[in-house]
Amino acid sequence: MPANEIRLALPDWIDTVDTDRVYADDEARVALAIRLARRNIEERSGGPFGAAIFDDAGRIVAVGVNRVLPERYSAAHAEMMAFMAAQARVGRARLNDDGARYILATSAQPCAMCYGASFWAGIDGLLIGARSADVMELSEFEEGPLPADWVGELEKRGIAVRRDILRDEARDVFTLYSNLGGQRY
């Protein structure tokens, strides 16, 4: 690969995600993100994080899973991979510049990097499964510092936040990850 080129890839199994299905509610959207996270560790294709971006009608725009170690790139978090895939699909850096609404569903609360990227990616809603405290309790991942009122900061920027959606199911992914030895893929 030329020195001036950067390539990242999602695992091949991502093609099996049902992109024709409509995910009508927040629970269905977060459930998909959790399934992606679980499959990512079961397939040994990355860390225990999944994310999906939906249009306002509940159709998938893009999905992402953690690919940090396989890609050897510290920013290859699930949310970042989903942002990049969605931006490539719609052909613009800020998703909602077309006036449509976009929702990011995550298996776990975004880390400091993904939190910051959410401002500029052009999402209008953020749906979260596990909390960062869950991630740090159940795994070796350090989620980084966030403002004390990080939810308020997102909401000031027009991003609605809903947390603890299927939180126990999301926590279960980290328990499975730890039971598998906490391997970092």
Side-chain angles (χ1 to χ4, degrees):
M1 178 166 55
N4 64 345
E5 189 173 304
I6 299 168
R7 292 185 197 167
L8 295 172
L10 290 165
D12 291 339
W13 61 261
I14 283 289
D15 292 337
T16 66
V17 174
D18 183 1
T19 56
D20 294 327
R21 178 179 166 195
V22 172
Y23 295 79
D25 59 32
D26 294 350
E27 286 73 18
R29 295 170 191 179
V30 172
L32 173 62
I34 293 168
R35 282 194 306 276
L36 292 167
R38 178 178 296 277
R39 177 117 187 237
N40 205 37
I41 59 172
E42 290 172 345
E43 296 283 343
R44 306 250 191 285
S45 52
F49 300 91
I53 297 175
F54 299 90
D55 66 17
D56 210 26
R59 291 183 300 266
I60 293 174
V61 177
V63 299
V65 292
N66 179 285
R67 297 285 289 161
V68 170
L69 292 181
E71 293 293 332
R72 299 172 308 280
Y73 186 63
S74 62
H77 290 198
E79 298 91 339
M80 301 298 285
M81 298 297 284
F83 288 149
M84 289 183 280
Q87 291 159 341
R89 181 171 180 196
V90 303
R92 60 187 171 274
R94 189 162 178 81
L95 298 172
N96 60 7
D97 270 354
D98 64 352
R101 292 180 37 81
Y102 294 88
I103 309 300
L104 171 65
T106 63
S107 61
Q109 179 179 318
C111 70
M113 174 181 61
C114 297
Y115 164 80
S118 296
F119 297 156
W120 300 292
I123 61 167
D124 302 285
L126 173 58
L127 309 173
I128 302 168
R131 291 181 177 226
S132 64
D134 300 328
V135 173
M136 292 187 290
E137 171 194 340
L138 299 169
S139 72
E140 74 281 3
F141 294 102
E142 166 60 51
E143 297 300 278
L146 292 176
D149 185 22
W150 65 270
V151 172
E153 290 296 328
L154 288 171
E155 290 176 342
K156 278 196 282 191
R157 290 165 173 81
I159 301 171
V161 177
R162 184 168 171 225
R163 301 190 298 170
D164 300 335
I165 302 167
L166 305 175
R167 184 177 179 187
D168 290 337
E169 292 88 337
R171 284 177 53 91
D172 288 345
V173 172
F174 290 96
T175 300
L176 173 62
Y177 174 76
S178 293
N179 291 342
L180 292 172
Q183 299 171 7
R184 300 187 76 173
Y185 315 107

